[in-house]
Amino acid sequence: MKRIKFSDFLFIAVFLFLGVFLTVKKVMTPGAIVKVKACDESYEFSASKNGIHKIQGAIGVTTFEIKDGKIRIIDSPCPNKICIHQGWDSPLVCLPNNIVIYLEQKEGKLDAVTN
């Protein structure tokens, strides 16, 4: 049975660090927007502007927070509050209140064209 060498461990650690770093960087890019769909209405908010927002849904008002490029629901009129327990995630869904909140990147310049 082969033992893991220090260089193998170092390679794995660097690979994991880069994966996490690039994922966080992509989520927190200034071009990200928060899109909200509620009862056939659509809303957009900048993901780079922290704040608390209220959206009218089918059964009441859902309150969500944007902070450091992340989103979470902090209050909702739904009976089971599953949407609140989703935490900082995307997409966030409150089925009883008919609300979906998600992060999306704004389309910008193309880095490359593929056929």
Side-chain angles (χ1 to χ4, degrees):
M1 185 167 168
K2 291 185 178 184
R3 294 177 57 182
I4 295 178
K5 298 177 188 176
F6 178 73
S7 60
D8 294 336
F9 177 75
L10 185 62
F11 175 76
I12 292 169
V14 169
F15 184 74
L16 289 174
F17 173 76
L18 284 174
V20 170
F21 175 74
L22 293 174
T23 301
V24 169
K25 183 179 177 188
K26 181 172 178 82
V27 169
M28 295 182 63
T29 54
I33 55 174
V34 175
K35 288 197 171 185
V36 179
K37 299 212 184 268
C39 300
D40 298 327
E41 297 287 328
S42 295
Y43 308 92
E44 290 186 2
F45 302 88
S46 172
S48 62
K49 293 184 181 177
N50 295 345
I52 295 175
H53 306 280
K54 296 179 182 275
I55 298 294
Q56 179 66 43
I59 61 173
V61 175
T62 293
T63 306
F64 71 97
E65 179 180 14
I66 301 171
K67 185 174 181 184
D68 301 328
K70 300 179 292 185
I71 52 175
R72 71 176 176 158
I73 294 176
I74 55 177
D75 188 41
S76 184
C78 59
N80 54 14
K81 310 289 186 206
I82 291 175
C83 56
I84 295 172
H85 299 298
Q86 293 177 79
W88 298 97
D89 205 356
S90 176
L92 297 168
V93 179
C94 183
L95 287 178
N97 207 17
N98 195 18
I99 291 180
V100 178
I101 305 169
Y102 59 96
L103 283 170
E104 187 174 282
Q105 298 296 321
K106 282 188 178 179
E107 293 186 23
K109 297 178 182 177
L110 296 175
D111 291 331
V113 177
T114 59
N115 292 337

